[in-house]
Amino acid sequence: GGGASLAISGAAAGLVSLPWALKFLWAPGLDRRLPTPRARRRAIAGFQVAAALLAGAAALLAPTSPRTLAALLALLFALNLICATQDIATDALAVRLLPPGARGPANGLQTAGYQVGTFVGGGLLLLLTPWLGWAGMLGGLGVLLLLPLAAGLLRPTATDHVPDAAHQAPAAAPARGLAALRAYVAQPGAGAW
C-alpha cells in the first residue's frame, strides 16, 4: 500500500544520506592525505567532477522499474559519499587558509551557500520534476554541480604557500585529535548528545 512504499522511501532516503552523518569517520585520514592547500583544491575539484558525473549517470537511470530504482539509489549513495568527502576537504582548506577572525564569517557564508544549494538543487529541481522528468531533474543537478567548479578554477592560488601546521608536525596530529575529542566530551551536555 501507500504507507509501506512511503516507509520504504523514507528508509531509502535515510540510507542514501548516511555518508553525511558518518563523514567524521574518514575526515582525519583525508586531512592527512591532503596536506597542502593545493592538494585540497585539486581534491575538491576532482570530487566536484565526480559528483557531476554521478548525477549524470543517475539521470540515465531515471526510475522506470524497481531494478533501476535500486541502481539509482546506489548512485545517489555514492553521490552523497563524494559530496560529504568534498565537504571535509573544503572545510580543511578554509581552516588552513583563513585567519581565525575570518573563519566565523566565512563559515556563515559557506552555510548560506549550502542552504541555497539545497533549495535549488533539492527543492526547486524537485518541484520542476513533473515538467523535466526524473532524467531532466538529475541532469540539471549534474549541470548545477559543475557550476562551482568553474568558479573554483578561476580562483587565484596565491595563498597556496600558507603553512599548514598539521603538515609541519604530522606526529602531533593524533595527540591533537585526542585532545580535541576530550575537550568536546568534557563539555556540559556532550554525553547526552
Side-chain angles (χ1 to χ4, degrees), residues 1-168:
S5 62
L6 185 60
I8 291 169
S9 297
L15 288 174
V16 163
S17 63
L18 194 59
W20 288 97
L22 298 178
K23 68 180 187 171
F24 71 93
L25 294 173
W26 63 92
L30 181 68
D31 199 35
R32 283 190 297 275
R33 300 249 331 150
L34 302 172
T36 65
R38 181 165 293 171
R40 289 184 183 110
R41 276 200 194 99
R42 287 182 181 150
I44 290 166
F47 291 134
Q48 197 73 29
V49 169
L53 290 174
L54 277 175
L60 297 175
L61 286 173
T64 55
S65 72
R67 173 183 273 164
T68 59
L69 182 59
L72 176 65
L73 289 173
L75 279 173
L76 292 177
F77 178 86
L79 178 62
N80 275 304
L81 181 64
I82 287 170
C83 290
T85 305
Q86 180 193 31
D87 189 57
I88 295 166
T90 302
D91 289 344
L93 180 64
V95 167
R96 298 305 190 279
L97 293 182
L98 295 172
R103 290 179 188 156
N107 186 262
L109 288 172
Q110 184 180 9
T111 301
Y114 165 77
Q115 294 299 329
V116 169
T118 299
F119 172 74
V120 173
L124 189 59
L125 280 177
L126 197 56
L127 286 173
L128 294 175
T129 301
W131 295 277
L132 299 174
W134 280 100
M137 187 269 295
L138 291 166
L141 180 61
V143 169
L144 288 174
L145 285 167
L146 286 175
L147 291 178
L149 182 62
L153 291 174
L154 296 175
R155 185 187 182 286
T157 58
T159 55
D160 283 347
H161 71 283
V162 174
D164 185 347
H167 182 55
Q168 292 172 348

